[in-house]
Amino acid sequence: MGAAAAAVLLATGCSSSGSGGEGEEGPVTIRFSWWGNDTRASETMQVIEAFEAKNPDIKVNADFSDFGGYWDKMATQTAGGDAPDLFAMSGSYPSEYASRGALLDLSEVSGTIDTSGFAEGTVELGQIDGVQYTVTAGVNAMSMVVDPVVFEAAGVDLPDDETWTWEDYSEIAAEISAKSPAGTYGTTPMTNDSFLAVWARQKGEELYAKDGSSVAMSEGTLTDWFEMNLDLMENGGSPEASVAVEDINSGSPEQTLMGVGRQGMKISWSNQMNAYAGNGLLMMKLPGEAGKPGAWLRSSMEYAISSASDHPEEAARLLDFLVNDEEAAKVIKLDRGMQANLEVRAQVLPLLDEGKQQEADYLDRLAALDITPPAPLPPGSSDTLKILDRQLFEVLFGRLSAQEAAKAFISEVNTNLS
């Protein structure tokens, strides 16, 4: 389905201030769930208050959790028939919940959600097999976050992100570690399946088959990825395995090596850069993008409505408000990624600090490349990240070879997909 058709499907004209929904005993109550930290919760509560002021016939009960606990809660509530009316999703979860019939086909609220002002290609991010199950809250992408203070202290020049390669990245990381005080490193491993997908796409492959039934990435390409991370540790560009594990399991970005100013480069989601502390961080393209670009604009968060909701129209009005209301956007800014609504985005950009402006500029650079995104993450792939973590550390701790880890990863993920 094209962007224009999808925009028509989801209606024209915001209805966040429309009437309807108030029962005999007062406002209709809906529940809205999302994940995030206290700052996101505080901002979201401001948006909810603004929505309720414009929609006195609707009361919103807010429910938020940290990322890990959120999915456990969602699984329990959905299985028990108590899913929130409106909730946040990401990754493979839209596909998994849609395959179980837990998500509303948004054509059923076609008069309420307006996507006519969305940037080209962003409506389709919420489609699975041609059905609109979610609407993006904002887009982000894989990026390289760079600490110029660490580079300068080590006497290492910043890379040219239009030309650098993964070999350059490894050499620069090793040089930073060698020329920095003990405990400061050039980089750390990036154990993220979305980054693995970028690596595959740079090699002309995809992480998953189009039908979602298996891993499409070749064993050789995956072996190269494990070896790249092993080489980084062995040349000193990244820390020993025990330190890397501790860093990955840090409670928050501020507590990571990058967050405390002891890391020169970090592969990261673009909307996470500002969560790392200080030092005037920079955002760059990933190495290897000069040949065949692998990074793409994806939904950093998506909104879905429960198929079991008693109040889908009211939930749709809140969804519409979250993605289209300028007042809401000025509070949220780029916390959930860069807005898809171009008019709203234009209102937000002048309000951004330097770090967030960098993020917006970076995403614009990727958008200009017009890179086709991969198919939605398939059902059964929600544990791929855990499998990747485990296999990488088997390699870094010397318990498996890179090829053995690649074989084990493919076998285990294929079992989950089937």
Side-chain angles (χ1 to χ4, degrees):
M1 183 184 298
V8 172
L9 169 68
L10 293 185
T12 56
C14 299
S15 59
S16 60
S17 58
S19 60
E22 187 168 358
E24 294 179 1
E25 298 180 358
V28 163
T29 298
I30 61 174
R31 194 161 95 251
F32 172 36
S33 295
W34 71 92
W35 71 83
N37 57 19
D38 290 341
T39 299
R40 176 175 289 175
S42 175
E43 292 172 349
T44 306
M45 290 306 301
Q46 290 182 56
V47 172
I48 289 173
E49 290 173 5
F51 172 78
E52 290 178 332
K54 293 183 178 181
N55 297 267
D57 57 325
I58 303 174
K59 176 177 172 53
V60 180
N61 285 345
D63 182 17
F64 76 96
S65 312
D66 64 86
F67 186 79
Y70 178 81
W71 299 110
D72 292 337
K73 183 193 297 185
M74 281 295 303
T76 300
Q77 291 177 344
T78 302
D82 187 35
D85 298 278
L86 177 67
F87 46 92
M89 306 221 85
S90 71
S92 65
Y93 290 102
S95 294
E96 295 183 2
Y97 277 64
S99 70
R100 299 200 297 267
L103 304 186
L104 183 73
D105 177 347
L106 295 181
S107 67
E108 296 184 24
V109 286
S110 61
T112 307
I113 305 169
D114 178 15
T115 59
S116 60
F118 276 29
E120 184 176 359
T122 54
V123 174
E124 290 85 349
L125 293 174
Q127 296 174 4
I128 301 170
D129 295 330
V131 179
Q132 194 82 38
Y133 285 112
T134 69
V135 174
T136 183
V139 296
N140 67 354
M142 277 284 143
S143 68
M144 184 69 74
V145 175
V146 172
D147 190 332
V149 173
V150 172
F151 270 77
E152 184 176 1
V156 177
D157 292 333
L158 293 172
D160 178 352
D161 73 344
E162 292 290 353
T163 61
W164 68 330
T165 64
W166 289 107
E167 290 76 16
D168 295 330
Y169 169 69
S170 180
E171 292 172 4
I172 292 169
E175 186 178 6
I176 289 172
S177 296
K179 295 181 178 179
S180 297
T184 295
Y185 304 93
T187 191
T188 50
M190 177 51 170
T191 56
N192 183 289
D193 49 337
S194 291
F195 169 57
L196 189 62
V198 173
W199 177 269
R201 285 159 65 84
Q202 287 188 351
K203 312 295 183 182
E205 301 177 8
E206 295 286 354
L207 177 54
Y208 298 111
K210 287 185 178 180
D211 64 2
S213 64
S214 63
V215 173
M217 186 178 188
S218 68
E219 182 182 307
T221 296
L222 184 55
T223 298
D224 289 344
W225 183 82
F226 283 116
E227 288 180 341
M228 185 265 290
N229 283 284
L230 181 61
D231 290 344
L232 277 167
M233 186 182 73
E234 292 178 343
N235 72 15
S238 66
E240 61 190 66
S242 59
V243 175
V245 169
E246 182 179 356
D247 189 64
I248 287 173
N249 293 327
S250 296
S252 66
E254 296 92 338
Q255 297 172 339
T256 62
L257 289 167
M258 176 62 74
V260 298
R262 292 168 48 202
Q263 181 172 336
M265 301 175 289
K266 185 176 184 67
I267 299 168
S268 173
W269 290 113
S270 58
N271 65 321
Q272 291 180 346
M273 184 181 82
N274 289 275
Y276 305 115
N279 281 0
L281 302 177
L282 304 176
M283 185 174 294
M284 296 185 174
K285 288 183 180 180
L286 294 171
E289 291 287 270
K292 185 175 179 62
W296 73 95
L297 297 183
R298 67 181 291 279
S299 290
S300 51
M301 180 184 282
E302 301 167 65
Y303 295 124
I305 297 174
S306 170
S307 60
S309 173
D310 291 330
H311 305 291
E313 286 290 343
E314 288 78 11
R317 284 163 63 184
L318 177 55
L319 193 163
D320 181 79
F321 188 85
L322 287 164
V323 299
N324 288 319
D325 187 85
E326 291 182 5
E327 182 179 354
K330 288 177 180 178
V331 174
I332 296 170
K333 298 185 176 69
L334 301 193
D335 177 66
R336 290 161 167 83
M338 190 162 67
Q339 285 82 2
N341 183 312
L342 295 176
E343 290 187 8
V344 169
R345 183 188 302 177
Q347 295 298 315
V348 170
L349 289 179
L351 306 177
L352 302 179
D353 60 24
E354 184 177 351
K356 287 292 186 183
Q357 187 63 60
Q358 273 199 70
E359 179 188 346
D361 291 345
Y362 172 74
L363 295 176
D364 283 342
R365 290 174 69 193
L366 289 190
L369 298 175
D370 195 25
I371 301 169
T372 302
L377 295 174
S381 63
S382 57
D383 282 339
T384 298
L385 174 57
K386 295 177 183 177
I387 298 168
L388 187 63
D389 274 355
R390 185 171 66 252
Q391 297 301 335
L392 175 62
F393 287 110
E394 289 293 294
V395 172
L396 297 185
F397 280 109
R399 295 189 286 260
L400 287 179
S401 70
Q403 186 174 22
E404 289 170 335
K407 287 180 180 291
F409 173 87
I410 292 171
S411 175
E412 192 169 351
V413 174
N414 280 345
T415 297
N416 286 349
L417 295 178
S418 64

